Amino acid sequence: MLKQLTVFMVLFAITFNVHATECGKVTIADMNWDSATFVANVDSFILQHGFGCETELVPSETILAAKSILIQGKPDIIPEMWRNALKGGLEHGIEKDKIKFVGKVLHEGGLEGFWVPAYMVEKEPSLATIAGVKQHSYLFKRSDFGNKQPFFSCAPDWRCQNAVTNLFNALDLKQAGFELTPTDAVTGLSGSIAHAYAKKLPWIGYYWSPTAVLGNYKMVRVDFNSGVDREHFRECIEKPNCKNPQVTMFPPRAVDTIVTLKFAQRAPEITAYLSARRFSNQDMNNLMAWKVNNNADGEQVMAEFLNQYEAIWTQWVSPEVAAKVKGALADL
């Protein structure tokens, strides 16, 4: 009996070690913006402690990471890639069986739009629509802007400038009394929202989600009541020479996780986890706000998320993996 038990334990150990070896070393791109480095740290912790992987975070940025994974087949995982950033190259990588999109980091996608403060909508609910904004445009007059009605836009050299200008014209906002007001690249949009909130001033302009700003300041995305025309947005609204801009909401931006095809084939359990792992914009906004407010790094936000959002992340993994991750958290 003892001999049989010993043989069983040896076989179990061999099986476990084979399973761990199959995961092996995993390289994860640690991109140079807040949400991406947070997600990279979440993946690293769960893979290391839940799946027994040896993980390495590789500092990177969009173009460098894309070139590396397409040409060198490294890193194994890019946790957060805004697909519109390098669409042609990424699609080429799929066609050549080099990479694979395995999951949506943001299940709603990255959201852009025209926003107004929630405190304005609470007083006048119609401001949640563009018709209400135009009808009550006088509510946006600012004494600190010479009693004008500024519409806050992104910095002149930002990619969003074309879309904002074209939609501003398509919506006839100038005729409604608004004045397109570009902001500087450093403190402009976020600073203008913070200033407006501090003094409860009127504000309308362009912004995007997820960001710490929308976690700290409750804003309402204005509905154009037009739906989304992806083709017109792509072929005209985003172009500098859009001659006849039509009204359309900003289409959600696909924000995905990319892995090499080789990694997907050798680590199906990890690929399944990455496919299940996704965040809502509001949760990401709140986490990014927590990061800024606590001057935290990606690892600290990861710990905050795994401790405070257990009901979310435990749905991405098996109960056995979740138990291992919880045990590791207790040692942090």
Side-chain angles (χ1 to χ4, degrees):
M1 180 68 182
L2 180 60
K3 183 178 180 180
Q4 291 176 331
L5 180 61
T6 302
V7 171
F8 172 78
M9 292 179 68
V10 169
L11 289 174
F12 177 82
I14 292 173
T15 302
F16 177 81
N17 286 333
V18 169
H19 180 76
T21 303
E22 285 177 352
C23 180
K25 184 174 182 178
V26 182
T27 50
I28 304 171
D30 185 359
M31 308 292 265
N32 60 343
W33 61 90
D34 288 349
S35 61
T37 195
F38 153 66
V39 178
N41 275 274
V42 169
D43 288 347
S44 179
F45 194 88
I46 289 179
L47 265 59
Q48 181 181 348
H49 299 285
F51 293 93
C53 306
E54 178 188 349
T55 61
E56 178 187 358
L57 292 176
V58 182
S60 193
E61 50 84 28
T62 299
I63 296 177
L64 178 62
K67 285 183 177 179
S68 181
I69 200 170
L70 291 171
I71 298 172
Q72 301 178 29
K74 297 179 180 179
D76 297 306
I77 304 170
I78 302 178
E80 182 179 320
M81 175 65 78
W82 289 63
R83 195 184 291 202
N84 66 306
L86 284 168
K87 184 175 181 181
L90 296 176
E91 299 301 333
H92 179 74
I94 293 175
E95 293 171 4
K96 296 296 182 180
D97 289 333
K98 291 185 176 183
I99 62 173
K100 183 176 182 180
F101 291 101
V102 295
K104 295 181 177 180
V105 181
L106 300 172
H107 62 76
E108 303 152 287
L111 300 178
E112 297 173 274
F114 295 171
W115 306 72
V116 297
Y119 54 76
M120 293 188 71
V121 177
E122 289 168 3
K123 290 183 178 180
E124 178 49 65
S126 71
L127 296 182
T129 68
I130 198 66
V133 166
K134 293 163 70 173
Q135 182 182 356
H136 300 91
S137 60
Y138 60 89
L139 294 176
F140 293 88
K141 288 183 179 180
R142 293 273 295 263
S143 59
D144 53 337
F145 280 82
N147 222 30
K148 295 179 180 179
Q149 299 162 201
F151 180 95
F152 294 93
S153 180
C154 42
D157 59 342
W158 284 12
R159 178 188 57 81
C160 53
Q161 185 63 229
N162 292 333
V164 172
T165 300
N166 287 326
L167 286 174
F168 181 88
N169 293 332
L171 291 164
D172 295 324
L173 292 180
K174 184 176 181 179
Q175 285 80 350
F178 291 97
E179 185 173 306
L180 197 60
T181 307
T183 54
D184 68 79
V186 181
T187 60
L189 281 170
S190 58
S192 67
I193 291 174
H195 176 71
Y197 243 84
K199 298 181 177 295
K200 290 296 183 287
L201 298 172
W203 192 95
I204 184 170
Y206 166 85
Y207 217 74
W208 68 95
S209 172
T211 61
V213 169
L214 296 190
N216 276 324
Y217 307 108
K218 189 176 179 181
M219 303 288 286
V220 176
R221 192 163 73 131
V222 177
D223 190 349
F224 298 167
N225 293 316
S226 63
V228 176
D229 186 336
R230 290 180 179 272
E231 182 178 357
H232 180 70
F233 191 91
R234 181 179 62 252
E235 299 300 327
C236 190
I237 295 299
E238 286 191 304
K239 307 292 185 181
N241 58 346
C242 180
K243 295 181 179 179
N244 186 29
Q246 302 298 309
V247 178
T248 171
M249 293 290 285
F250 286 79
R253 303 289 187 178
V255 185
D256 299 314
T257 296
I258 301 173
V259 301
T260 65
L261 189 62
K262 288 182 179 180
F263 180 79
Q265 292 170 341
R266 79 173 175 89
E269 287 185 337
I270 309 300
T271 302
Y273 152 72
L274 294 172
S275 298
R277 186 260 289 122
R278 55 186 59 190
F279 301 84
S280 72
N281 278 64
Q282 189 56 59
D283 284 341
M284 189 65 83
N285 286 336
N286 292 340
L287 286 160
M288 293 305 96
W290 187 90
K291 180 183 188 301
V292 170
N293 297 340
N294 291 276
N295 195 27
D297 59 21
E299 186 175 2
Q300 290 169 318
V301 186
M302 171 273 293
E304 169 71 8
F305 170 73
L306 292 178
N307 279 306
Q308 301 301 324
Y309 292 73
E310 182 179 306
I312 293 177
W313 68 262
T314 52
Q315 298 179 44
W316 305 337
V317 296
S318 68
E320 293 76 16
V321 170
K324 294 176 183 178
V325 173
K326 290 178 189 177
L329 280 173
D331 295 331
L332 283 181

